[in-house]
Amino acid sequence: MPESDDLWSGVQVIAKIYRIGDDEVPIKVDGITFSDESDLKNKQSKINVKQHYYQEIKYDDDGNKSEIVFKPAS
């Protein structure tokens, strides 16, 4: 379930991935996981900049952020 009804554009999602070190957790976009800068270089072209996405933040059992997921909005 999306965390909010706010939609992210593909460009905003890419900008979030550029700041991947800020959150220090993997970011998954439409099933593609980005964990570091090399993933950004190698996989960025697979993100549809015209698509809109919902953001979901996943937490581990201790309540720490474990993953950020962007799912395409239908």
Side-chain angles (χ1 to χ4, degrees), residues 8-11 30 47-53 71-74:
W8 291 61
S9 72
V11 172
D30 200 12
I47 297 174
N48 182 351
V49 295
K50 295 181 181 181
Q51 177 73 47
H52 286 90
Y53 298 88
K71 297 180 180 176
S74 301

Side-chain angles (χ1 to χ4, degrees), residues 16-25 27 35-37:
K16 178 70 172 174
I17 295 169
Y18 268 101
R19 297 187 310 269
I20 200 164
D22 295 350
D23 290 308
E24 298 180 0
V25 295
I27 297 174
S35 300
D36 54 34
E37 288 183 27

